[in-house]
């Protein structure tokens, strides 16, 4: 399929070059009525092809879209995205149709004169006011969604987790029994204290460092992001979450996981996506892939940027608590 697309692209490029060359050769030639009629018909046929290709792409490649949001807050984001895309597609469908239709209907015919409007206050008001009102509504709705997603002040018993970025890996640190992270600074990095945790801070003693993220379903998670070196971006696509990790400052983001890893593996869209990936891997002689949530870096942070991945495991609260109890605290690791 990919090879066919490349062939079609090459053909389109060749036709475009040929058409451009033809335009330069016909600078002094006046189009005849037959030429106008031919071009109008071709424009209409291309319009049919354009819409056919668009519908085909939606049907064929919808499997590449992300499955349902794995966080409560992500559902609001998905709703905003869906509303925006529906509006865009409606406007695009109408304007593109008019473009192709008018090119055919009003093609040059002998004896026909184009009707010239010096201006139209009514039309200008329509295409100014309607987009302004629609865009204002989208912006206000977007701000409302952003406020709901970012505001974690009312969270009850949230889980506090620090995500630490550096070239080219992620580390995590869970707040201990006091549910408060200890201070940290790059100046404190020494030996096994790779996150620069200030061990003189009593709040740091029970913090739990890990190299894998485990999250409990149904509990608000407040992430604190730091960077050791350059600008990174913590991207968790299935949770619709992304936040820059900036050297010298702490950024924050929160969400509530609502689908465990086991449950997401049974999602129909996920199964279809995994099957497609494993077909490609089988052709290459590679081992089959099993779905996992991932924390990725969405900034090109250096030569090994692609290595910045961390597995995220969403599990039931009891499974999470059992896992957390097995982890060592900072005071147990750094003696």
């Amino acid at each position: 399929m990919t090879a066919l697309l490349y062939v079609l692209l090459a053909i389109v490029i060749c036709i475009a070059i040929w058409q451009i060359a033809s335009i330069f050769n016909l600078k002094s030639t006046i189009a005849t009525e037959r030429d106008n009629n031919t071009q109008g018909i071709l424009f209409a046929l291309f319009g049919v092809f354009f819409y056919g290709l668009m519908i085909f792409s939606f049907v064929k490649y919808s499997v590449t879209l992300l499955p349902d949001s794995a966080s409560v807050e992500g559902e609001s984001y998905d709703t905003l995205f869906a509303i925006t895309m529906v509006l865009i597609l409606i406007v695009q469908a109408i304007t593109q149709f008019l473009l192709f239709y008018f090119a055919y209907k009003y093609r040059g015919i002998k004896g026909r004169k184009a009707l010239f409007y010096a201006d139209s206050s009514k039309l200008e008001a329509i295409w100014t006011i309607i987009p302004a009102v629609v865009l204002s509504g989208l912006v206000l709705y977007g701000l409302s969604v952003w406020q709901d997603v970012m505001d974690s002040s009312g969270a009850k018993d949230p889980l506090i987790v620090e995500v630490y970025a550096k070239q080219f890996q992620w580390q995590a640190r869970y707040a201990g029994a006091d549910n408060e992270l200890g201070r940290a600074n790059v100046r404190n990095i020494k030996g096994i204290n790779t996150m620069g945790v200030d061990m003189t801070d009593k709040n740091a003693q029970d913090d739990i460092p890990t190299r894998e993220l485990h999250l409990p379903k149904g509990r608000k998670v407040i992430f604190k992001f730091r960077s050791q070196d350059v600008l990174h971006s913590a991207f968790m696509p299935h949770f619709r979450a992304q936040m820059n990790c900036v050297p010298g400052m702490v950024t924050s983001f929160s969400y509530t996981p609502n689908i465990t890893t086991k449950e997401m593996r049974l999602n129909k869209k996920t199964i279809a996506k995994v099957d497609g990936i494993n077909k490609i891997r089988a052709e290459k002689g590679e081992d089959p892939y099993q779905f996992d949530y991932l924390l990725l870096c969405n900034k090109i942070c250096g030569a090994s940027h692609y290595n910045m991945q961390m597995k995220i495991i969403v599990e039931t609260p009891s499974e999470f608590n059992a896992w957390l109890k097995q982890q060592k605290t900072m005071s147990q690791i750094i003696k």
Side-chain angles (χ1 to χ4, degrees), residues 67-68 259 262-272:
D68 300 333
I259 302 176
K262 293 177 182 178
E263 290 170 340
M264 186 57 82
R265 286 174 180 168
L266 299 176
N267 181 284
K268 290 182 180 180
K269 291 182 180 179
T270 304
I271 292 172

Side-chain angles (χ1 to χ4, degrees), residues 155-168:
K156 296 180 180 179
D157 187 32
L159 177 66
I160 311 297
V161 183
E162 180 184 74
V163 174
Y164 188 62
K166 62 180 178 179
Q167 294 174 314
F168 295 95

Side-chain angles (χ1 to χ4, degrees), residues 146 149-153 159-163 181 220-226 234 236 241-246 249-255:
W146 176 253
V149 169
M150 295 301 294
D151 183 16
S152 58
S153 58
L159 177 66
I160 311 297
V161 183
E162 180 184 74
V163 174
L181 289 167
K220 188 88 164 184
V221 184
I222 299 178
F223 293 94
K224 304 292 183 180
F225 300 100
R226 287 195 301 131
M236 295 170 265
Q242 179 171 319
M243 180 56 67
N244 285 346
C245 307
V246 185
M249 67 181 294
V250 177
T251 53
S252 180
F253 197 95
S254 64
Y255 61 76

Side-chain angles (χ1 to χ4, degrees), residues 60-296:
K60 177 71 175 178
Y61 299 108
S62 60
V63 70
T64 61
L65 298 175
L66 287 169
D68 300 333
S69 171
S71 69
V72 174
E73 293 76 10
E75 294 173 357
S76 299
Y77 172 90
D78 282 353
T79 301
L80 174 61
F81 178 80
I83 292 172
T84 304
M85 286 304 299
V86 167
L87 288 172
I88 290 173
L89 288 172
I90 290 173
V91 173
Q92 183 265 350
I94 293 173
T95 54
Q96 290 291 339
F97 171 78
L98 292 176
L99 174 66
F100 294 125
Y101 175 70
F102 287 165
Y104 170 75
K105 181 174 177 61
Y106 299 108
R107 63 194 183 280
I109 296 176
K110 188 175 181 180
R112 176 190 287 172
K113 278 191 174 183
L115 183 60
F116 175 74
Y117 281 97
D119 61 73
S120 173
S121 300
K122 185 177 181 180
L123 283 176
E124 290 180 7
I126 289 173
W127 68 53
T128 301
I129 294 173
I130 292 179
V133 170
V134 172
L135 289 175
S136 296
L138 281 177
V139 169
L140 291 173
Y141 180 43
L143 289 173
S144 173
V145 171
W146 176 253
Q147 178 64 27
D148 292 341
V149 169
M150 295 301 294
D151 183 16
S152 58
S153 58
K156 296 180 180 179
D157 187 32
L159 177 66
I160 311 297
V161 183
E162 180 184 74
V163 174
Y164 188 62
K166 62 180 178 179
Q167 294 174 314
F168 295 95
Q169 60 178 290
W170 297 99
Q171 290 179 267
R173 179 166 58 116
Y174 289 79
D178 58 3
N179 206 28
E180 188 172 345
L181 289 167
R183 294 188 301 268
N185 191 290
V186 292
R187 294 183 180 87
N188 298 322
I189 295 175
K190 185 179 180 181
I192 60 175
N193 188 4
T194 56
M195 298 177 70
V197 178
D198 184 355
M199 295 306 295
T200 64
D201 183 2
K202 65 177 184 178
N203 292 324
Q205 302 300 314
D206 61 353
D207 289 350
I208 301 170
T210 69
R211 294 191 180 267
E212 188 173 76
L213 271 175
H214 284 244
L215 305 177
K217 177 181 177 180
R219 184 179 177 186
K220 188 88 164 184
V221 184
I222 299 178
F223 293 94
K224 304 292 183 180
F225 300 100
R226 287 195 301 131
S227 173
Q228 177 175 304
D229 34 50
V230 300
L231 186 67
H232 299 274
S233 187
F235 181 41
M236 295 170 265
H238 291 89
F239 304 94
R240 313 301 192 257
Q242 179 171 319
M243 180 56 67
N244 285 346
C245 307
V246 185
M249 67 181 294
V250 177
T251 53
S252 180
F253 197 95
S254 64
Y255 61 76
T256 308
N258 62 352
I259 302 176
T260 66
T261 299
K262 293 177 182 178
E263 290 170 340
M264 186 57 82
R265 286 174 180 168
L266 299 176
N267 181 284
K268 290 182 180 180
K269 291 182 180 179
T270 304
I271 292 172
K273 191 186 295 290
V274 170
D275 287 344
I277 292 172
N278 283 334
K279 282 182 181 179
I280 297 172
R281 293 179 70 89
E283 292 172 359
K284 294 181 178 180
E286 298 176 354
D287 294 333
Y289 157 79
Q290 185 180 43
F291 171 83
D292 276 306
Y293 294 124
L294 289 174
L295 164 63
L296 306 169

